[in-house]
Amino acid sequence: MTARVGRHFLQIPGPSSAPDAVLHAMARQTMDHRGPEFGVFAKTLLADLRKVFRTERPVIMYPSSGTGAWEAALVNLFQPGDVVLMAETGQFATLWRELAERLDIKAEFIPGDWRRGVDPGAVAARLKADIKGEIRAVCMVHNETSTGATSRVHDVRKAIDATVHEALLLVDTISGLGSMPYEHDAWGVDVTVAGSQKGLMTPPGLSFNAVSEKALAVARAGGMRRSYWDWQAMLELNATGYFPYTPATNLLYGLRAAVDQILAEGLEAAWARHRRLADAARHATQAWGLEIQCEVPEERSNVLTAVRLPDGHDADALRAAILKNFDVSLGNGLGKIKGKVFRIGHLGDVNEPLLMGTLAAVEMGLKLAGVPHQSGGVDAAMRRLVETAG
Ligand SMILES: *Cc1c(COP(=O)(O)O)cnc(C)c1O
C-alpha cells in the first residue's frame, strides 16, 4: 500500500463524492429520534425534499440502498401474478426486472440494445395491444447508469395517456435526481424511486419513494404482504416528523446539508451545471475518436459518459492503470458490456477543474495503456468550457 498524496478522485457515476459540508454534518452526536428536536428536524427535511423531487406530495425515506426503494415501490402496489411492463435499457433495468420476478410479479421486458433510452412508441404499442388491461404499470429507469442513456419520462407518460390505459408509471431516477431535470408531479409519475448516493451527494444508505395520490390509493387497497416497506405506516408517523423504526439519523444530517447545498445553488442551476460539464466530457470523448455508448445524441446522460474501447482493448485494464498512476476511480462496464466500456462520472459536487483533472487522467491513461486514440480530448473539453462559460 503506497501512501496517498493529494486528493483521491472518486469519479464513478455513484456513489459520488460527498461535499465537505455533508461529511462534517454527519460527524456529530446522534440525536434521540423520539425527542422533540428530531421531530422538527425531520419534518423540515421531508418538506424540503419535496422541492428536489418537484412534488407537493410526501416523500418517503428508507434506511436502505436504492434497491430497497425498488422493492418498496413494487410490494406496496402489486401482488404475485400481476403484470408490469419494463424496458431493457441496461443493467439497472435488468436488475429491477429480476427483483420483480423474485417477488412473482410478471415483468415483461421490451428488448433493447443498451445504447438508447426507452422508446415511448414501443410502450404505447404494447399498451394498445393489452386490450384486457392486464398491465398494471410501466416501470422505467430515467438515467440508465450502466450505459449513460437518459429516457424521456414525460414522453412515456404522454404515450401511456394517449392509449387511455390505466397503467401506473414507476420511475427509477436513483442516478438522475438532483442532476438532471426531473418533475415528479408535472410529468405525472406515480412512484419515483431515488437514492442518496448519486446526485444527492450523501453517502450510500438512504432511499426514497415519492408517491402520487393514485399510487397511494392502489397501495391502500392492495399490494402484497409487507411490513418494513409499508408506505402507510411511514406516512402516518412522518406527518409529525417521526418514523416507525430507527431512522439513519447521521445520514439524515448529511442529507440535510446536501439539500441545503442544492437549494442554495438552485435546482435548475445544478441541472445546467451538469449539462455543461457533460457536454465538455462528450467533446473530449469525440476528440479522442472514441465511441460514446449511447448512440442517440439527445439521450446522452448529463450524469455520466460511458465510453467504448476499440475491440481487443480491455476497459478494466485501462481503469486499473488510471487508478494506479493517478488515483482516479472510474466506473466499470456492467453486465453485457463488462470490459468493453468505462464510465466517467460527472455528477454531484463537481466543478470544471475537477472534471478537467479527471479527463486529463483519462487521456494520460489511454496513452499509458496503449489504447488507440487521438490526443486533444482535454483541449476540446477546455474549449467547450470556455465557449459555454457564463
Ligand atoms: C445505483 C443505481 C441503482 C442501485 O442502487 P443501490 O443503491 O446500489 O441499491 C439502481 N438504479 C440505478 C439507475 C442506479 O444508478
Side-chain angles (χ1 to χ4, degrees), residues 133-169:
E134 283 176 342
I135 297 172
R136 302 284 318 279
V138 174
C139 305
M140 65 183 287
V141 175
H142 173 221
N143 184 66
E144 180 50 83
T145 324
S146 63
T147 66
T150 303
S151 288
R152 292 170 285 145
V153 174
H154 197 201
D155 288 350
V156 171
R157 172 85 260 173
K158 287 189 247 175
I160 297 171
D161 292 345
T163 61
V164 205
H165 196 289
E166 288 291 300
L168 296 164
L169 177 60

PDB file of all heavy atoms in Angstrom, residues 133-169:
ATOM      1  N   GLY A 133     -56.372  -5.043 -20.379  1.00  0.00           N
ATOM      2  CA  GLY A 133     -55.884  -4.174 -19.296  1.00  0.00           C
ATOM      3  C   GLY A 133     -55.139  -4.932 -18.219  1.00  0.00           C
ATOM      4  O   GLY A 133     -55.291  -4.656 -17.028  1.00  0.00           O
ATOM      5  N   GLU A 134     -54.320  -5.917 -18.625  1.00  0.00           N
ATOM      6  CA  GLU A 134     -53.598  -6.725 -17.624  1.00  0.00           C
ATOM      7  C   GLU A 134     -52.354  -6.038 -17.079  1.00  0.00           C
ATOM      8  O   GLU A 134     -51.903  -6.347 -15.984  1.00  0.00           O
ATOM      9  CB  GLU A 134     -53.199  -8.070 -18.244  1.00  0.00           C
ATOM     10  CG  GLU A 134     -54.367  -9.024 -18.318  1.00  0.00           C
ATOM     11  CD  GLU A 134     -54.034 -10.327 -19.023  1.00  0.00           C
ATOM     12  OE1 GLU A 134     -53.020 -10.383 -19.757  1.00  0.00           O
ATOM     13  OE2 GLU A 134     -54.803 -11.272 -18.832  1.00  0.00           O
ATOM     14  N   ILE A 135     -51.789  -5.143 -17.869  1.00  0.00           N
ATOM     15  CA  ILE A 135     -50.545  -4.491 -17.442  1.00  0.00           C
ATOM     16  C   ILE A 135     -50.862  -3.448 -16.375  1.00  0.00           C
ATOM     17  O   ILE A 135     -51.618  -2.511 -16.615  1.00  0.00           O
ATOM     18  CB  ILE A 135     -49.818  -3.865 -18.655  1.00  0.00           C
ATOM     19  CG1 ILE A 135     -49.410  -4.975 -19.628  1.00  0.00           C
ATOM     20  CG2 ILE A 135     -48.608  -3.045 -18.211  1.00  0.00           C
ATOM     21  CD1 ILE A 135     -48.847  -4.482 -20.947  1.00  0.00           C
ATOM     22  N   ARG A 136     -50.296  -3.642 -15.205  1.00  0.00           N
ATOM     23  CA  ARG A 136     -50.608  -2.757 -14.078  1.00  0.00           C
ATOM     24  C   ARG A 136     -49.765  -1.485 -14.078  1.00  0.00           C
ATOM     25  O   ARG A 136     -50.171  -0.483 -13.515  1.00  0.00           O
ATOM     26  CB  ARG A 136     -50.388  -3.502 -12.746  1.00  0.00           C
ATOM     27  CG  ARG A 136     -51.204  -4.794 -12.567  1.00  0.00           C
ATOM     28  CD  ARG A 136     -52.654  -4.514 -12.228  1.00  0.00           C
ATOM     29  NE  ARG A 136     -52.799  -3.438 -11.273  1.00  0.00           N
ATOM     30  CZ  ARG A 136     -52.661  -3.551  -9.947  1.00  0.00           C
ATOM     31  NH1 ARG A 136     -52.401  -4.716  -9.410  1.00  0.00           N
ATOM     32  NH2 ARG A 136     -52.806  -2.507  -9.161  1.00  0.00           N
ATOM     33  N   ALA A 137     -48.565  -1.582 -14.644  1.00  0.00           N
ATOM     34  CA  ALA A 137     -47.666  -0.423 -14.570  1.00  0.00           C
ATOM     35  C   ALA A 137     -46.583  -0.500 -15.624  1.00  0.00           C
ATOM     36  O   ALA A 137     -46.244  -1.585 -16.106  1.00  0.00           O
ATOM     37  CB  ALA A 137     -47.010  -0.359 -13.192  1.00  0.00           C
ATOM     38  N   VAL A 138     -46.064   0.669 -15.953  1.00  0.00           N
ATOM     39  CA  VAL A 138     -44.831   0.769 -16.734  1.00  0.00           C
ATOM     40  C   VAL A 138     -43.742   1.172 -15.740  1.00  0.00           C
ATOM     41  O   VAL A 138     -43.916   2.134 -14.985  1.00  0.00           O
ATOM     42  CB  VAL A 138     -44.962   1.829 -17.849  1.00  0.00           C
ATOM     43  CG1 VAL A 138     -43.626   2.035 -18.559  1.00  0.00           C
ATOM     44  CG2 VAL A 138     -46.061   1.440 -18.830  1.00  0.00           C
ATOM     45  N   CYS A 139     -42.652   0.399 -15.706  1.00  0.00           N
ATOM     46  CA  CYS A 139     -41.534   0.694 -14.799  1.00  0.00           C
ATOM     47  C   CYS A 139     -40.322   1.012 -15.653  1.00  0.00           C
ATOM     48  O   CYS A 139     -39.910   0.185 -16.476  1.00  0.00           O
ATOM     49  CB  CYS A 139     -41.201  -0.504 -13.916  1.00  0.00           C
ATOM     50  SG  CYS A 139     -42.596  -1.146 -12.978  1.00  0.00           S
ATOM     51  N   MET A 140     -39.761   2.197 -15.477  1.00  0.00           N
ATOM     52  CA  MET A 140     -38.642   2.585 -16.334  1.00  0.00           C
ATOM     53  C   MET A 140     -37.518   3.219 -15.522  1.00  0.00           C
ATOM     54  O   MET A 140     -37.731   3.733 -14.435  1.00  0.00           O
ATOM     55  CB  MET A 140     -39.125   3.559 -17.413  1.00  0.00           C
ATOM     56  CG  MET A 140     -39.608   4.893 -16.872  1.00  0.00           C
ATOM     57  SD  MET A 140     -40.254   5.984 -18.179  1.00  0.00           S
ATOM     58  CE  MET A 140     -38.744   6.465 -19.004  1.00  0.00           C
ATOM     59  N   VAL A 141     -36.332   3.175 -16.103  1.00  0.00           N
ATOM     60  CA  VAL A 141     -35.163   3.807 -15.486  1.00  0.00           C
ATOM     61  C   VAL A 141     -34.936   5.135 -16.202  1.00  0.00           C
ATOM     62  O   VAL A 141     -34.798   5.168 -17.421  1.00  0.00           O
ATOM     63  CB  VAL A 141     -33.923   2.893 -15.604  1.00  0.00           C
ATOM     64  CG1 VAL A 141     -32.677   3.607 -15.077  1.00  0.00           C
ATOM     65  CG2 VAL A 141     -34.147   1.588 -14.849  1.00  0.00           C
ATOM     66  N   HIS A 142     -34.945   6.220 -15.443  1.00  0.00           N
ATOM     67  CA  HIS A 142     -34.778   7.558 -16.038  1.00  0.00           C
ATOM     68  C   HIS A 142     -33.364   7.728 -16.590  1.00  0.00           C
ATOM     69  O   HIS A 142     -33.185   8.038 -17.759  1.00  0.00           O
ATOM     70  CB  HIS A 142     -35.078   8.603 -14.961  1.00  0.00           C
ATOM     71  CG  HIS A 142     -34.789  10.013 -15.361  1.00  0.00           C
ATOM     72  ND1 HIS A 142     -34.202  10.913 -14.506  1.00  0.00           N
ATOM     73  CD2 HIS A 142     -34.999  10.685 -16.517  1.00  0.00           C
ATOM     74  CE1 HIS A 142     -34.069  12.083 -15.121  1.00  0.00           C
ATOM     75  NE2 HIS A 142     -34.547  11.969 -16.328  1.00  0.00           N
ATOM     76  N   ASN A 143     -32.385   7.529 -15.703  1.00  0.00           N
ATOM     77  CA  ASN A 143     -30.986   7.656 -16.143  1.00  0.00           C
ATOM     78  C   ASN A 143     -30.321   6.298 -15.969  1.00  0.00           C
ATOM     79  O   ASN A 143     -30.061   5.868 -14.846  1.00  0.00           O
ATOM     80  CB  ASN A 143     -30.262   8.716 -15.310  1.00  0.00           C
ATOM     81  CG  ASN A 143     -28.837   8.937 -15.803  1.00  0.00           C
ATOM     82  OD1 ASN A 143     -28.624   9.424 -16.907  1.00  0.00           O
ATOM     83  ND2 ASN A 143     -27.855   8.550 -15.000  1.00  0.00           N
ATOM     84  N   GLU A 144     -30.106   5.595 -17.082  1.00  0.00           N
ATOM     85  CA  GLU A 144     -29.540   4.233 -17.028  1.00  0.00           C
ATOM     86  C   GLU A 144     -28.030   4.369 -16.797  1.00  0.00           C
ATOM     87  O   GLU A 144     -27.256   4.661 -17.701  1.00  0.00           O
ATOM     88  CB  GLU A 144     -29.890   3.496 -18.329  1.00  0.00           C
ATOM     89  CG  GLU A 144     -29.385   2.082 -18.448  1.00  0.00           C
ATOM     90  CD  GLU A 144     -29.661   1.155 -17.268  1.00  0.00           C
ATOM     91  OE1 GLU A 144     -30.765   0.571 -17.163  1.00  0.00           O
ATOM     92  OE2 GLU A 144     -28.731   0.985 -16.470  1.00  0.00           O
ATOM     93  N   THR A 145     -27.651   4.166 -15.557  1.00  0.00           N
ATOM     94  CA  THR A 145     -26.280   4.445 -15.118  1.00  0.00           C
ATOM     95  C   THR A 145     -25.263   3.479 -15.735  1.00  0.00           C
ATOM     96  O   THR A 145     -24.074   3.761 -15.752  1.00  0.00           O
ATOM     97  CB  THR A 145     -26.221   4.375 -13.574  1.00  0.00           C
ATOM     98  OG1 THR A 145     -27.453   4.889 -13.060  1.00  0.00           O
ATOM     99  CG2 THR A 145     -25.089   5.205 -13.019  1.00  0.00           C
ATOM    100  N   SER A 146     -25.723   2.344 -16.231  1.00  0.00           N
ATOM    101  CA  SER A 146     -24.783   1.392 -16.839  1.00  0.00           C
ATOM    102  C   SER A 146     -24.385   1.799 -18.255  1.00  0.00           C
ATOM    103  O   SER A 146     -23.338   1.374 -18.743  1.00  0.00           O
ATOM    104  CB  SER A 146     -25.384  -0.016 -16.848  1.00  0.00           C
ATOM    105  OG  SER A 146     -26.555  -0.055 -17.642  1.00  0.00           O
ATOM    106  N   THR A 147     -25.201   2.611 -18.909  1.00  0.00           N
ATOM    107  CA  THR A 147     -24.927   2.939 -20.316  1.00  0.00           C
ATOM    108  C   THR A 147     -24.799   4.438 -20.577  1.00  0.00           C
ATOM    109  O   THR A 147     -24.336   4.845 -21.642  1.00  0.00           O
ATOM    110  CB  THR A 147     -26.077   2.437 -21.221  1.00  0.00           C
ATOM    111  OG1 THR A 147     -27.258   3.194 -20.896  1.00  0.00           O
ATOM    112  CG2 THR A 147     -26.346   0.956 -21.024  1.00  0.00           C
ATOM    113  N   GLY A 148     -25.280   5.255 -19.643  1.00  0.00           N
ATOM    114  CA  GLY A 148     -25.274   6.702 -19.858  1.00  0.00           C
ATOM    115  C   GLY A 148     -26.346   7.156 -20.834  1.00  0.00           C
ATOM    116  O   GLY A 148     -26.132   8.089 -21.603  1.00  0.00           O
ATOM    117  N   ALA A 149     -27.511   6.510 -20.786  1.00  0.00           N
ATOM    118  CA  ALA A 149     -28.641   6.928 -21.627  1.00  0.00           C
ATOM    119  C   ALA A 149     -29.768   7.425 -20.722  1.00  0.00           C
ATOM    120  O   ALA A 149     -30.123   6.786 -19.727  1.00  0.00           O
ATOM    121  CB  ALA A 149     -29.138   5.768 -22.477  1.00  0.00           C
ATOM    122  N   THR A 150     -30.328   8.576 -21.074  1.00  0.00           N
ATOM    123  CA  THR A 150     -31.429   9.164 -20.311  1.00  0.00           C
ATOM    124  C   THR A 150     -32.722   8.988 -21.085  1.00  0.00           C
ATOM    125  O   THR A 150     -32.784   9.311 -22.271  1.00  0.00           O
ATOM    126  CB  THR A 150     -31.161  10.667 -20.078  1.00  0.00           C
ATOM    127  OG1 THR A 150     -29.915  10.797 -19.402  1.00  0.00           O
ATOM    128  CG2 THR A 150     -32.254  11.285 -19.223  1.00  0.00           C
ATOM    129  N   SER A 151     -33.739   8.476 -20.422  1.00  0.00           N
ATOM    130  CA  SER A 151     -35.022   8.252 -21.090  1.00  0.00           C
ATOM    131  C   SER A 151     -35.954   9.436 -20.904  1.00  0.00           C
ATOM    132  O   SER A 151     -35.877  10.155 -19.911  1.00  0.00           O
ATOM    133  CB  SER A 151     -35.683   6.993 -20.536  1.00  0.00           C
ATOM    134  OG  SER A 151     -34.997   5.857 -20.986  1.00  0.00           O
ATOM    135  N   ARG A 152     -36.843   9.587 -21.868  1.00  0.00           N
ATOM    136  CA  ARG A 152     -37.772  10.723 -21.872  1.00  0.00           C
ATOM    137  C   ARG A 152     -39.023  10.364 -21.072  1.00  0.00           C
ATOM    138  O   ARG A 152     -40.023   9.903 -21.622  1.00  0.00           O
ATOM    139  CB  ARG A 152     -38.090  11.086 -23.328  1.00  0.00           C
ATOM    140  CG  ARG A 152     -36.861  11.663 -24.061  1.00  0.00           C
ATOM    141  CD  ARG A 152     -37.092  11.787 -25.540  1.00  0.00           C
ATOM    142  NE  ARG A 152     -37.037  10.489 -26.207  1.00  0.00           N
ATOM    143  CZ  ARG A 152     -37.801  10.161 -27.249  1.00  0.00           C
ATOM    144  NH1 ARG A 152     -38.691  10.993 -27.722  1.00  0.00           N
ATOM    145  NH2 ARG A 152     -37.665   8.967 -27.804  1.00  0.00           N
ATOM    146  N   VAL A 153     -38.950  10.593 -19.782  1.00  0.00           N
ATOM    147  CA  VAL A 153     -40.021  10.166 -18.874  1.00  0.00           C
ATOM    148  C   VAL A 153     -41.358  10.806 -19.252  1.00  0.00           C
ATOM    149  O   VAL A 153     -42.383  10.126 -19.324  1.00  0.00           O
ATOM    150  CB  VAL A 153     -39.656  10.523 -17.414  1.00  0.00           C
ATOM    151  CG1 VAL A 153     -40.811  10.218 -16.468  1.00  0.00           C
ATOM    152  CG2 VAL A 153     -38.395   9.785 -16.982  1.00  0.00           C
ATOM    153  N   HIS A 154     -41.329  12.118 -19.503  1.00  0.00           N
ATOM    154  CA  HIS A 154     -42.585  12.799 -19.778  1.00  0.00           C
ATOM    155  C   HIS A 154     -43.230  12.271 -21.061  1.00  0.00           C
ATOM    156  O   HIS A 154     -44.450  12.122 -21.151  1.00  0.00           O
ATOM    157  CB  HIS A 154     -42.343  14.314 -19.860  1.00  0.00           C
ATOM    158  CG  HIS A 154     -43.593  15.124 -19.728  1.00  0.00           C
ATOM    159  ND1 HIS A 154     -43.681  16.414 -20.175  1.00  0.00           N
ATOM    160  CD2 HIS A 154     -44.808  14.826 -19.209  1.00  0.00           C
ATOM    161  CE1 HIS A 154     -44.901  16.871 -19.940  1.00  0.00           C
ATOM    162  NE2 HIS A 154     -45.601  15.930 -19.353  1.00  0.00           N
ATOM    163  N   ASP A 155     -42.403  11.954 -22.066  1.00  0.00           N
ATOM    164  CA  ASP A 155     -42.938  11.394 -23.318  1.00  0.00           C
ATOM    165  C   ASP A 155     -43.550  10.012 -23.096  1.00  0.00           C
ATOM    166  O   ASP A 155     -44.546   9.655 -23.734  1.00  0.00           O
ATOM    167  CB  ASP A 155     -41.832  11.312 -24.383  1.00  0.00           C
ATOM    168  CG  ASP A 155     -41.450  12.693 -24.917  1.00  0.00           C
ATOM    169  OD1 ASP A 155     -42.174  13.671 -24.598  1.00  0.00           O
ATOM    170  OD2 ASP A 155     -40.430  12.800 -25.622  1.00  0.00           O
ATOM    171  N   VAL A 156     -42.969   9.245 -22.191  1.00  0.00           N
ATOM    172  CA  VAL A 156     -43.549   7.924 -21.889  1.00  0.00           C
ATOM    173  C   VAL A 156     -44.912   8.115 -21.218  1.00  0.00           C
ATOM    174  O   VAL A 156     -45.884   7.443 -21.549  1.00  0.00           O
ATOM    175  CB  VAL A 156     -42.591   7.080 -21.017  1.00  0.00           C
ATOM    176  CG1 VAL A 156     -43.276   5.808 -20.520  1.00  0.00           C
ATOM    177  CG2 VAL A 156     -41.322   6.730 -21.798  1.00  0.00           C
ATOM    178  N   ARG A 157     -44.982   9.076 -20.270  1.00  0.00           N
ATOM    179  CA  ARG A 157     -46.280   9.349 -19.622  1.00  0.00           C
ATOM    180  C   ARG A 157     -47.335   9.725 -20.665  1.00  0.00           C
ATOM    181  O   ARG A 157     -48.458   9.237 -20.649  1.00  0.00           O
ATOM    182  CB  ARG A 157     -46.106  10.485 -18.612  1.00  0.00           C
ATOM    183  CG  ARG A 157     -47.406  10.986 -18.010  1.00  0.00           C
ATOM    184  CD  ARG A 157     -47.830  10.150 -16.820  1.00  0.00           C
ATOM    185  NE  ARG A 157     -48.850   9.166 -17.105  1.00  0.00           N
ATOM    186  CZ  ARG A 157     -49.252   8.249 -16.222  1.00  0.00           C
ATOM    187  NH1 ARG A 157     -48.710   8.151 -15.034  1.00  0.00           N
ATOM    188  NH2 ARG A 157     -50.177   7.391 -16.527  1.00  0.00           N
ATOM    189  N   LYS A 158     -46.927  10.625 -21.592  1.00  0.00           N
ATOM    190  CA  LYS A 158     -47.890  11.072 -22.611  1.00  0.00           C
ATOM    191  C   LYS A 158     -48.316   9.906 -23.504  1.00  0.00           C
ATOM    192  O   LYS A 158     -49.478   9.813 -23.907  1.00  0.00           O
ATOM    193  CB  LYS A 158     -47.281  12.198 -23.451  1.00  0.00           C
ATOM    194  CG  LYS A 158     -47.193  13.524 -22.671  1.00  0.00           C
ATOM    195  CD  LYS A 158     -46.800  14.670 -23.580  1.00  0.00           C
ATOM    196  CE  LYS A 158     -45.440  15.196 -23.222  1.00  0.00           C
ATOM    197  NZ  LYS A 158     -44.884  16.209 -24.063  1.00  0.00           N
ATOM    198  N   ALA A 159     -47.371   9.020 -23.780  1.00  0.00           N
ATOM    199  CA  ALA A 159     -47.692   7.846 -24.605  1.00  0.00           C
ATOM    200  C   ALA A 159     -48.686   6.937 -23.883  1.00  0.00           C
ATOM    201  O   ALA A 159     -49.617   6.406 -24.487  1.00  0.00           O
ATOM    202  CB  ALA A 159     -46.407   7.086 -24.943  1.00  0.00           C
ATOM    203  N   ILE A 160     -48.501   6.773 -22.569  1.00  0.00           N
ATOM    204  CA  ILE A 160     -49.440   5.950 -21.785  1.00  0.00           C
ATOM    205  C   ILE A 160     -50.826   6.594 -21.829  1.00  0.00           C
ATOM    206  O   ILE A 160     -51.833   5.928 -22.102  1.00  0.00           O
ATOM    207  CB  ILE A 160     -48.974   5.810 -20.307  1.00  0.00           C
ATOM    208  CG1 ILE A 160     -47.627   5.084 -20.217  1.00  0.00           C
ATOM    209  CG2 ILE A 160     -50.035   5.092 -19.472  1.00  0.00           C
ATOM    210  CD1 ILE A 160     -47.007   5.103 -18.812  1.00  0.00           C
ATOM    211  N   ASP A 161     -50.864   7.898 -21.576  1.00  0.00           N
ATOM    212  CA  ASP A 161     -52.152   8.599 -21.523  1.00  0.00           C
ATOM    213  C   ASP A 161     -52.865   8.561 -22.878  1.00  0.00           C
ATOM    214  O   ASP A 161     -54.089   8.443 -22.937  1.00  0.00           O
ATOM    215  CB  ASP A 161     -51.951  10.050 -21.063  1.00  0.00           C
ATOM    216  CG  ASP A 161     -51.505  10.117 -19.601  1.00  0.00           C
ATOM    217  OD1 ASP A 161     -51.638   9.090 -18.889  1.00  0.00           O
ATOM    218  OD2 ASP A 161     -51.026  11.183 -19.176  1.00  0.00           O
ATOM    219  N   ALA A 162     -52.084   8.649 -23.953  1.00  0.00           N
ATOM    220  CA  ALA A 162     -52.690   8.650 -25.291  1.00  0.00           C
ATOM    221  C   ALA A 162     -53.365   7.316 -25.615  1.00  0.00           C
ATOM    222  O   ALA A 162     -54.280   7.266 -26.438  1.00  0.00           O
ATOM    223  CB  ALA A 162     -51.624   8.971 -26.336  1.00  0.00           C
ATOM    224  N   THR A 163     -52.942   6.238 -24.958  1.00  0.00           N
ATOM    225  CA  THR A 163     -53.574   4.939 -25.208  1.00  0.00           C
ATOM    226  C   THR A 163     -54.805   4.743 -24.319  1.00  0.00           C
ATOM    227  O   THR A 163     -55.476   3.725 -24.423  1.00  0.00           O
ATOM    228  CB  THR A 163     -52.603   3.779 -24.920  1.00  0.00           C
ATOM    229  OG1 THR A 163     -52.231   3.845 -23.535  1.00  0.00           O
ATOM    230  CG2 THR A 163     -51.365   3.844 -25.775  1.00  0.00           C
ATOM    231  N   VAL A 164     -55.067   5.720 -23.428  1.00  0.00           N
ATOM    232  CA  VAL A 164     -56.150   5.614 -22.459  1.00  0.00           C
ATOM    233  C   VAL A 164     -56.054   4.309 -21.659  1.00  0.00           C
ATOM    234  O   VAL A 164     -57.038   3.607 -21.446  1.00  0.00           O
ATOM    235  CB  VAL A 164     -57.540   5.754 -23.131  1.00  0.00           C
ATOM    236  CG1 VAL A 164     -58.578   6.250 -22.114  1.00  0.00           C
ATOM    237  CG2 VAL A 164     -57.507   6.722 -24.310  1.00  0.00           C
ATOM    238  N   HIS A 165     -54.845   4.005 -21.233  1.00  0.00           N
ATOM    239  CA  HIS A 165     -54.585   2.806 -20.431  1.00  0.00           C
ATOM    240  C   HIS A 165     -54.431   3.233 -18.981  1.00  0.00           C
ATOM    241  O   HIS A 165     -53.986   4.336 -18.704  1.00  0.00           O
ATOM    242  CB  HIS A 165     -53.310   2.126 -20.939  1.00  0.00           C
ATOM    243  CG  HIS A 165     -53.138   0.719 -20.465  1.00  0.00           C
ATOM    244  ND1 HIS A 165     -52.833   0.417 -19.163  1.00  0.00           N
ATOM    245  CD2 HIS A 165     -53.231  -0.470 -21.113  1.00  0.00           C
ATOM    246  CE1 HIS A 165     -52.747  -0.906 -19.037  1.00  0.00           C
ATOM    247  NE2 HIS A 165     -52.989  -1.470 -20.202  1.00  0.00           N
ATOM    248  N   GLU A 166     -54.828   2.364 -18.058  1.00  0.00           N
ATOM    249  CA  GLU A 166     -54.802   2.700 -16.630  1.00  0.00           C
ATOM    250  C   GLU A 166     -53.441   2.505 -15.967  1.00  0.00           C
ATOM    251  O   GLU A 166     -53.299   2.717 -14.759  1.00  0.00           O
ATOM    252  CB  GLU A 166     -55.823   1.827 -15.881  1.00  0.00           C
ATOM    253  CG  GLU A 166     -57.270   2.206 -16.139  1.00  0.00           C
ATOM    254  CD  GLU A 166     -57.618   3.552 -15.520  1.00  0.00           C
ATOM    255  OE1 GLU A 166     -57.506   3.690 -14.282  1.00  0.00           O
ATOM    256  OE2 GLU A 166     -57.964   4.474 -16.283  1.00  0.00           O
ATOM    257  N   ALA A 167     -52.439   2.070 -16.725  1.00  0.00           N
ATOM    258  CA  ALA A 167     -51.140   1.696 -16.127  1.00  0.00           C
ATOM    259  C   ALA A 167     -50.542   2.839 -15.300  1.00  0.00           C
ATOM    260  O   ALA A 167     -50.575   4.001 -15.689  1.00  0.00           O
ATOM    261  CB  ALA A 167     -50.157   1.296 -17.224  1.00  0.00           C
ATOM    262  N   LEU A 168     -49.997   2.456 -14.154  1.00  0.00           N
ATOM    263  CA  LEU A 168     -49.236   3.413 -13.339  1.00  0.00           C
ATOM    264  C   LEU A 168     -47.862   3.608 -13.988  1.00  0.00           C
ATOM    265  O   LEU A 168     -47.404   2.747 -14.749  1.00  0.00           O
ATOM    266  CB  LEU A 168     -49.033   2.855 -11.931  1.00  0.00           C
ATOM    267  CG  LEU A 168     -50.278   2.633 -11.067  1.00  0.00           C
ATOM    268  CD1 LEU A 168     -49.937   1.713  -9.886  1.00  0.00           C
ATOM    269  CD2 LEU A 168     -50.824   3.955 -10.564  1.00  0.00           C
ATOM    270  N   LEU A 169     -47.204   4.708 -13.647  1.00  0.00           N
ATOM    271  CA  LEU A 169     -45.838   4.932 -14.132  1.00  0.00           C
ATOM    272  C   LEU A 169     -44.887   4.976 -12.934  1.00  0.00           C
ATOM    273  O   LEU A 169     -45.014   5.836 -12.053  1.00  0.00           O
ATOM    274  CB  LEU A 169     -45.755   6.240 -14.928  1.00  0.00           C
ATOM    275  CG  LEU A 169     -44.356   6.615 -15.433  1.00  0.00           C
ATOM    276  CD1 LEU A 169     -43.790   5.545 -16.372  1.00  0.00           C
ATOM    277  CD2 LEU A 169     -44.377   7.970 -16.135  1.00  0.00           C
TER     278      LEU A 169
END
